[in-house]
Amino acid sequence: SVSMNPVLKFRTLFCLLAGEGEILVGEDWVPFKAGEAVFAPRWAMHQTHNTGTEELVMYAITDYYLSNRVFIGANSTTVLG
């Protein structure tokens, strides 16, 4: 199966827990398997595709909260970093 995500304003680290697949980062397909991680930089299109026979299980770590504050309206009292 394929999941498509829009270009996002935050960085994402995809960590694969089970299965094997490939992830599109920008214009490059990167193969990955359980125990590996792939980084998608800010504004990069990303898409995942399960290439194995078992379920593809992964989690994503993002800087969504920080990016959301910076791009959507951090106020003068916000401490970043």
Side-chain angles (χ1 to χ4, degrees):
S1 68
V2 175
S3 69
M4 187 66 159
N5 293 300
V7 176
L8 300 173
K9 65 183 176 189
F10 47 88
R11 298 177 208 113
T12 306
L13 179 65
F14 296 95
C15 302
L16 193 60
L17 300 176
E20 60 185 73
E22 57 188 7
I23 185 165
L24 177 67
V25 178
E27 297 181 8
D28 299 316
W29 282 100
V30 179
F32 70 140
K33 59 185 184 279
E36 296 181 339
V38 176
F39 176 75
R42 183 174 284 144
W43 304 114
M45 174 68 73
H46 61 279
Q47 176 181 357
T48 57
H49 181 187
N50 185 351
T51 60
T53 56
E54 65 179 281
E55 186 175 23
L56 185 67
V57 179
M58 67 179 173
Y59 64 92
I61 302 168
T62 72
D63 65 349
Y64 174 79
Y65 180 74
L66 176 61
S67 295
N68 192 39
R69 300 288 292 179
V70 171
F71 287 104
I72 298 190
N75 62 42
S76 61
T77 61
T78 302
V79 176
L80 302 176

